[in-house]
Amino acid sequence: MRMTFRYSLTEDDYINFEKLNTSRQFKALLFPMMFFIFFSVFLYAKERDYIFIIFIVTMVLLLVLSYFVLLPYSAKKRVKTYLNGDRSYLLPTEITIDDKKIESKNIPEENEAGIIGIYPYSIMRMIIENEDYIFFYISNEVKVLPKRAIPQEFKETVFELIKKNGNYTYMK
């Protein structure tokens, strides 16, 4: 079954994507940082040198600061930078979803070129679903589909189609 509908992304949609992306990168750094913190606790217990306490406190402060301040700020700044460079990211998009592929067409303004992309599920690196979005990772590109944009009559079928792919992941 082919399902076609239109939607437009907002700046907040892109910010939420960037937050998800940076959160995934942060989690990759979390293990090494935690290792150094625990190793420093071990060394402090063994050596009783206060330099290890200073290191531990510094690492914990860096973790907290980066997670609650730097990550949200950097996501907003990156989105503003690339939207200021190209506002076409906010143009309406027509998407067609079927059991083999997704097809994306941007709806250009008058006297502008449009772009059509056909993406078989087999070439997608991953499909990530969270509470509010579905992200289609295609080589170095990501298609963001807000769940609110999926018409009610298509929602169940769309979710069934994407969930049966081997590259599908649900993230909170």
Side-chain angles (χ1 to χ4, degrees):
M1 174 178 190
R2 289 176 56 92
M3 297 156 286
T4 302
F5 52 94
R6 287 185 181 196
Y7 67 96
S8 294
L9 294 173
T10 65
E11 189 173 313
D12 286 339
D13 294 327
Y14 284 107
I15 289 171
N16 288 329
F17 165 70
E18 284 295 330
K19 284 181 182 177
L20 172 81
N21 222 25
T22 52
S23 170
R24 289 176 59 223
Q25 293 168 352
F26 179 79
K27 288 177 185 174
L29 291 174
L30 190 60
F31 179 74
M33 290 180 90
M34 294 303 291
F35 171 77
F36 285 120
I37 290 171
F38 289 126
F39 188 65
S40 295
V41 168
F42 169 75
L43 289 176
Y44 172 74
K46 185 178 178 188
E47 302 290 328
R48 295 287 180 207
D49 189 350
Y50 289 102
I51 192 75
F52 296 114
I53 294 294
I54 294 169
F55 181 77
I56 293 166
V57 170
T58 303
M59 290 296 281
V60 170
L61 285 174
L62 280 174
L63 275 172
V64 170
L65 179 71
S66 64
Y67 189 76
F68 290 109
V69 177
L70 297 178
L71 290 181
Y73 173 75
S74 66
K76 288 178 185 175
K77 186 175 180 182
R78 273 195 306 277
V79 168
K80 289 203 183 294
T81 299
Y82 67 72
L83 287 181
N84 286 338
D86 188 358
R87 299 300 289 180
S88 69
Y89 288 111
L90 301 175
L91 290 175
T93 300
E94 181 178 282
I95 190 166
T96 301
I97 300 176
D98 64 27
D99 59 340
K100 298 194 184 325
K101 66 186 176 313
I102 66 164
E103 188 176 310
S104 175
K105 300 177 195 174
N106 73 336
I107 312 299
E109 294 177 352
E110 192 171 323
N111 297 326
E112 289 186 2
I115 299 172
I116 298 173
I118 300 172
Y119 310 102
Y121 293 119
S122 60
I123 67 163
M124 293 183 194
R125 285 187 303 138
M126 64 181 127
I127 300 170
I128 295 179
E129 177 187 358
N130 71 11
E131 196 173 310
D132 300 315
Y133 298 94
I134 301 170
F135 304 100
F136 299 95
Y137 286 77
I138 307 152
S139 65
N140 63 347
E141 183 179 1
V142 178
K143 295 293 179 190
V144 179
L145 176 61
K147 288 182 178 180
R148 69 178 185 281
I150 304 171
Q152 194 61 39
E153 64 269 16
F154 294 153
K155 278 190 180 190
E156 187 177 324
T157 309
V158 167
F159 296 143
E160 286 174 12
L161 287 174
I162 64 162
K163 286 178 183 176
K164 73 178 186 179
N165 287 287
N167 50 5
Y168 167 82
T169 304
Y170 184 86
M171 294 180 96
K172 288 190 177 198

